[in-house]
Amino acid sequence: MTALIETHRLSKTFTLHGRGGLQLPVFSGINLSVQPGECLALTGHSGSGKSSLLRCLYGNYAPSSGAVRIRHAGDWLNLSQAAPREVVAVRRRTLGYVSQFLRVIPRVSTLDIVADPLRRLGVGAAEARQQAAHWLQRLNLHEHLWHLPPATFSGGEQQRVNIAHGMISAAPVLLLDEPTASLDGDNRRVVVELIHAARAQGSAIVGIFHDDEVRQAVATRCFDVEQHRNSL
């Protein structure tokens, strides 16, 4: 089976220009490959580089060396060298991301925020909003909140909006950065079910799961990022 996302000797070092160009190595020489239906859990202590690796996979961080390759539109694309318009296209059709933080446009309703990924794919407004409502209902977000901007929501409510927004388009590759961190037990179980459903549909998932129970429930295998930090 062909992988949907992979890295080749991926390394990341931050340069602290305000500290005289001090070099801060994060990880080095990472090779990983994730196939459809897999959920790869990134592990390691805090500060080991898990979130930095996830941001490299999404194209937010440029690697210092190596490559991130993703299957997009039937071919391989080196995301590390892609033009901005190519990165936008990949994120629209191929690469989903659930971050720890909800960043939204002020005064846009929760329903429209969740529907937006579908609208960008050409889904009609009514259908996109209907699917968004289904996701918000599935994630136990009260209907009276759907037409409000989520900026004043609780952390757990914002995270559920984040999950719905990141997963609604059923992207072939899905990146999850602590998706259950702010959730109670009932909603953690819902997210576990949604991850299982995404795997069953063939998504390749890479995630950070600090909750041991959640990680054991969803991960098909683990990748210790810390091993690639200690070797620097």
Side-chain angles (χ1 to χ4, degrees):
M1 188 178 296
T2 303
L4 294 181
I5 188 168
E6 64 183 25
T7 68
H8 177 67
R9 299 190 59 80
L10 191 71
S11 301
K12 180 61 180 175
T13 297
F14 289 110
T15 301
L16 306 182
H17 297 288
R19 298 285 300 276
L22 179 68
Q23 299 287 299
L24 183 64
V26 183
F27 52 75
S28 178
I30 285 182
N31 296 307
L32 59 82
S33 177
V34 189
Q35 296 184 349
E38 283 195 302
C39 179
L40 178 68
L42 304 180
T43 62
H45 290 101
S46 178
S48 61
K50 299 184 299 296
S51 289
S52 293
L53 174 54
L54 211 61
R55 292 185 181 109
C56 284
L57 297 180
Y58 192 58
N60 278 355
Y61 285 174
S64 302
S65 62
V68 175
R69 294 180 1 118
I70 188 167
R71 292 284 296 183
H72 172 67
D75 205 352
W76 283 107
L77 176 70
N78 186 347
L79 200 60
S80 312
Q81 298 177 348
R85 61 177 175 78
E86 293 177 309
V87 175
V88 169
V90 166
R91 291 176 179 176
R92 179 177 296 148
R93 297 192 172 276
T94 304
L95 183 58
Y97 183 52
V98 176
S99 73
Q100 297 180 52
F101 309 103
L102 181 65
R103 298 177 178 87
V104 297
I105 300 172
R107 296 181 295 278
V108 176
S109 75
T110 292
L111 198 63
D112 286 331
I113 288 169
V114 175
D116 183 64
L118 296 180
R119 296 288 288 129
R120 292 175 182 270
L121 290 173
V123 177
E127 173 64 18
R129 286 167 67 89
Q130 183 177 1
Q131 290 192 40
H134 171 76
W135 274 80
L136 292 172
Q137 186 176 48
R138 183 74 179 85
L139 285 158
N140 300 312
L141 195 74
H142 293 298
E143 189 172 351
H144 71 269
L145 297 175
W146 295 359
H147 300 285
L148 300 176
T152 59
F153 290 5
S154 71
E157 290 166 343
Q158 288 192 1
Q159 187 63 0
R160 280 176 276 166
V161 176
N162 226 359
I163 291 164
H165 175 270
M167 298 185 71
I168 191 171
S169 62
V173 181
L174 185 59
L175 308 178
L176 306 175
D177 191 355
E178 299 185 52
T180 62
S182 303
L183 304 184
D184 58 25
D186 287 341
N187 284 305
R188 283 198 298 271
R189 284 188 286 274
V190 170
V191 173
V192 167
E193 292 171 1
L194 292 173
I195 293 172
H196 283 312
R199 283 185 51 216
Q201 292 171 0
S203 290
I205 301 171
V206 183
I208 301 170
F209 310 98
H210 283 171
D211 185 303
D212 290 341
E213 184 177 343
V214 170
R215 183 172 60 253
Q216 291 170 8
V218 301
T220 56
R221 56 191 175 96
C222 296
F223 183 91
D224 189 352
V225 179
E226 197 157 13
Q227 291 183 355
H228 297 266
R229 179 179 180 87
N230 294 338
S231 62
L232 293 170

